[in-house]
Amino acid sequence: MEFDITKELDVEISAKALKAYSESFQSAFKLENIAIFLDTNVLISYYGMASAEKAKLLSFLRDNRENIYLTHQVQVEFRRNRVKNIESDLFEPLRKIPTSLESAVADSKNKFKQFLSSNKKLLLADYPDEWEKLLKIEENLIQALDIEQLGEELKSKIERTTSDLKDIKVVDELLDTCLVLKKTPKLEDGRISEIIKLYERLSDNLDNANSSSQQYCVFPGSGDRKNKKDYPYGDFIIYHEILDFVAQNKVNAVFLTHEKSKGDWIGGKMSPHIHYIEHTYAETGQIVYILNAEKPLSLSLENIHGGSKEDLKYREAAVMTIDHDKGFGFIYNDGETVYFNVNSFDDKDDFFNLKRQEYLRFTLKEHDENITAVNCRRQDYSFDDQQFTVHESRVVSIKDRYGFIENENGNLYFHKLTTDDSCQFSDFKVGSIVECLFGLNFDGDPVVRKIRLKK
C-alpha cells in the first residue's frame, strides 16, 4: 500500500470517498467512537502551553486512552525532541524575562533622552514651553521606570518556578500519560525505503507542477523539504502508518495536528486536501480526517512562553486564494501555505483590489510554529507604472517557453507569462536587448516579472 497521489482515479472513487467523508464528519469531529492519532507537534506543544490547557490535554488523553494511538514514528520524534523542547519552550523564555525587562527599561530611557538631546537647540529656541513640558515628562518617565524592586521580585519568582520544574525532564506527567496510550508497530525497513523513494518522486512531481496545480500536488511531509532537509520523510511515514492501521482494522480515523501554516496536512482556510480524501479511500476503503487539534479538543496549544519573530526580508508570491468579504487570503510556495489578512496591509485598498494569481510583496512573521505574511503590498507590474525601475539587459539563452537574461548576480530566468503585451515571446532571440521589471521570489531573490524588447 502506498499513498501515491499521481495515480489516476475514476469518478466513482471520488464520489464514494467524498460521500463517506461528509456522512461521518460530524461524529469524527466530536471524536466519537473513532481511532484517534496524534501528530508529534500536539505532544510537543504541551511544554509551552498554559497550565490550564496542559491539564485539559492530559485529561483528554487519559479519558480517551482506549481510542488514542501513537504511531512508531511519532514516538521516535517525541522522544527525540522532548527534552530539547522543554528547554526551548519552557526554560529559555522564562530565563530571558529579567534581562529583557532590564533592556526594555534602559532602551525606553535612552531613546527619550536621545530625542531630547538631538532636538534640544531647536525646541529650546522656538518651542520653550513645550521643551519645559518634555523635561518634566522625562523626569516622570525616569520615576515610572524605576522598577528595580519589581524586577528583583519577578526574577525571584521565575527562579522558584524553574526550580519547581527542574525535574520535568525526568518526572514528566505527559510522558507518563503516553505510556497508557495505544501504539502501532514500526514499519519494516524495506517498507520505509519504498516510502522514501515515493516521497522523492512526489517531491519531483510537486517541483515540476505549475503554480495553479501545485496545491493539488502537495502530500504529507512536502512542507518539510526546506526546514528538514536531512530527513523530511517523518510525516509521510506517519501517514503510511495510519493508512496501514485503518486498512487492517477496517475503521476510519482522525489525525489531530497542530499544523497551521505548512499546508501539507491541512489546506487553505483550514479545509481538507480533497486529493488526500480520495487517494486514502482508494487505497484503504476508509476515511482519515485530518483536523487541527485545537477545535475538537476545545483547548489552546499556543506556546505562551514564546514571542513572535519577524523576518524583515521582503519576498513575493502569487496569491492562491483571497476572500474579500471575510478579509483574509493565502499565498502558496513549494508546499508551504502562508496566511494574510486585511490588517496585514498598510493600504487597505491594496487588499480589496488584490486578485487571485496577482503578486503580493510581504515579510514573514512567525509566532510559535505559525507563519503569517505582514507588511503586505500589492505588486501590479507594468511598464507604465513609474514606481517600477526599468532595467536594461541582454538575452543570453532562449528555449521553447523560457529564456535567460544577463544579470550582475547571475543569469535570470524569464518565460512566456512574463512577456509584456507589447511583444511576443517568439520575438526574443539570443543577443536581443530587452527591458525588464524585476521583482522578488519567495526567498527574496530577484526575478523577472515583466520583459519586453527595447524600443
Side-chain angles (χ1 to χ4, degrees):
M1 181 187 303
E2 60 179 13
F3 189 67
D4 184 357
I5 60 171
T6 64
K7 286 183 180 177
E8 290 187 358
L9 303 179
D10 58 31
V11 172
E12 183 178 358
I13 285 289
S14 179
K16 285 182 176 179
L18 297 177
K19 182 180 180 182
Y21 184 94
S22 175
E23 287 177 343
S24 300
F25 178 79
Q26 290 302 324
S27 61
F29 187 83
K30 294 175 183 177
L31 307 177
E32 295 175 346
N33 301 315
I34 194 167
I36 303 167
F37 288 83
L38 301 179
D39 197 356
T40 312
N41 55 33
V42 173
L43 297 174
I44 290 297
S45 295
Y46 171 85
Y47 301 106
M49 290 162 58
S51 297
E53 303 304 298
K54 286 181 179 178
K56 287 182 190 176
L57 180 59
L58 290 175
S59 178
F60 167 77
L61 297 177
R62 290 164 182 157
D63 293 345
N64 295 274
R65 59 185 179 274
E66 293 300 321
N67 295 325
I68 298 178
Y69 294 82
L70 301 181
T71 73
H72 183 268
Q73 182 65 25
V74 167
Q75 295 173 61
V76 169
E77 292 179 4
F78 177 51
R79 189 205 65 80
R80 185 173 62 232
N81 293 302
R82 188 182 71 89
V83 173
K84 179 180 70 176
N85 280 79
I86 289 173
E87 192 63 36
S88 63
D89 291 353
L90 184 57
F91 289 127
E92 283 184 14
L94 284 171
R95 294 188 189 113
K96 287 179 181 177
I97 288 176
T99 53
S100 295
L101 177 60
E102 289 176 10
S103 297
V105 170
D107 286 348
S108 299
K109 290 178 181 178
N110 291 336
K111 284 181 179 178
F112 199 79
K113 189 172 184 176
Q114 288 170 6
F115 167 79
L116 293 179
S117 178
S118 60
N119 293 281
K120 180 177 180 178
K121 289 183 179 179
L122 175 61
L123 291 169
L124 193 57
D126 293 347
Y127 306 96
D129 293 342
E130 286 73 15
W131 173 253
E132 290 300 321
K133 290 178 182 178
L134 287 169
L135 289 178
K136 186 64 177 176
I137 290 172
E138 182 187 25
E139 183 181 332
N140 293 336
L141 179 64
I142 291 172
Q143 290 177 358
L145 292 176
D146 185 11
I147 58 172
E148 184 176 348
Q149 183 178 348
L150 174 60
E152 288 300 321
E153 291 173 0
L154 183 59
K155 184 177 181 180
S156 177
K157 288 186 176 181
I158 288 172
E159 286 174 351
R160 286 202 299 272
T161 300
T162 54
S163 177
D164 292 341
L165 294 172
K166 70 179 185 301
D167 294 329
I168 191 174
K169 295 177 183 177
V170 177
V171 183
D172 183 352
E173 203 170 357
L174 175 62
L175 187 61
D176 291 341
T177 302
C178 287
L179 290 176
V180 304
L181 305 180
K182 296 190 173 182
K183 319 291 191 304
T184 64
K186 181 182 184 295
L187 300 179
E188 294 181 0
D189 291 343
R191 177 85 189 288
I192 291 176
S193 296
E194 291 301 316
I195 291 170
I196 290 173
K197 289 179 184 177
L198 176 58
Y199 181 102
E200 297 294 350
R201 183 160 61 81
L202 294 182
S203 184
D204 290 340
N205 181 61
L206 178 57
D207 286 339
N208 293 327
N210 58 43
S211 58
S212 61
S213 300
Q214 281 186 328
Q215 60 182 309
Y216 308 112
C217 297
V218 298
F219 56 93
S222 58
D224 291 326
R225 296 184 302 160
K226 283 188 175 181
N227 298 329
K228 300 179 181 179
K229 290 182 178 179
D230 290 341
Y231 197 84
Y233 315 112
D235 284 353
F236 203 45
I237 292 171
I238 289 170
Y239 200 59
H240 279 83
E241 290 174 316
I242 297 172
L243 292 182
D244 281 4
F245 178 91
V246 299
Q248 291 167 9
N249 293 278
K250 305 295 183 187
V251 294
N252 293 341
V254 168
F255 178 67
L256 298 178
T257 179
H258 187 35
E259 182 235 288
K260 290 183 179 178
S261 60
K262 232 167 19 104
D264 59 353
W265 279 125
I266 302 172
K269 303 181 185 180
M270 292 294 128
S271 59
H273 288 297
I274 299 300
H275 61 288
Y276 285 24
I277 299 171
E278 294 169 331
H279 284 277
T280 297
Y281 188 85
E283 288 297 322
T284 67
Q286 305 299 146
I287 300 295
V288 175
Y289 295 89
I290 303 173
L291 306 175
N292 182 277
E294 291 184 320
K295 292 185 177 180
L297 298 186
S298 298
L299 56 76
S300 172
L301 297 169
E302 179 186 6
N303 181 358
I304 64 168
H305 303 95
S308 61
K309 291 184 265 183
E310 187 167 345
D311 175 1
L312 295 179
K313 177 193 282 188
Y314 274 98
R315 308 159 185 271
E316 286 178 15
V319 174
M320 182 175 72
T321 59
I322 186 165
D323 191 321
H324 293 116
D325 293 332
K326 294 182 178 178
F328 67 86
F330 291 89
I331 50 182
Y332 179 86
N333 179 74
D334 196 21
E336 185 173 19
T337 304
V338 179
Y339 167 87
F340 64 88
N341 62 40
V342 64
N343 295 318
S344 306
F345 292 74
D346 290 332
D347 184 349
K348 301 297 187 286
D349 287 341
D350 264 4
F351 174 82
F352 292 107
N353 291 327
L354 192 63
K355 299 181 180 64
R356 189 175 178 275
Q357 294 300 319
E358 285 189 334
Y359 290 109
L360 186 68
R361 179 167 287 201
F362 56 92
T363 62
L364 294 177
K365 186 172 184 179
E366 180 182 354
H367 183 76
D368 297 337
E369 294 185 351
N370 306 317
I371 300 174
T372 58
V374 295
N375 302 316
C376 294
R377 187 169 75 239
R378 177 173 175 254
Q379 295 289 96
D380 186 13
Y381 287 96
S382 169
F383 284 103
D384 297 327
D385 193 332
Q386 294 185 354
Q387 71 168 300
F388 299 114
T389 302
V390 178
H391 300 267
E392 186 175 310
S393 185
R394 182 177 68 90
V395 177
V396 295
S397 175
I398 196 79
K399 301 291 183 183
D400 214 14
R401 295 176 176 272
Y402 65 91
F404 289 89
I405 61 166
E406 283 181 332
N407 183 261
E408 58 184 7
N409 297 317
N411 295 339
L412 293 183
Y413 167 88
F414 70 95
H415 54 85
K416 276 191 172 184
L417 295 179
T418 57
T419 307
D420 187 61
D421 292 339
S422 63
C423 61
Q424 302 284 332
F425 182 82
S426 57
D427 295 336
F428 298 120
K429 312 293 181 187
V430 172
S432 295
I433 305 302
V434 294
E435 294 178 328
C436 308
L437 302 181
F438 293 161
L440 302 170
N441 61 16
F442 192 86
D443 295 320
D445 300 320
V447 293
V448 176
R449 290 297 185 207
K450 282 284 185 182
I451 186 170
R452 67 184 181 187
L453 290 171
K454 185 178 179 181
K455 294 180 181 179

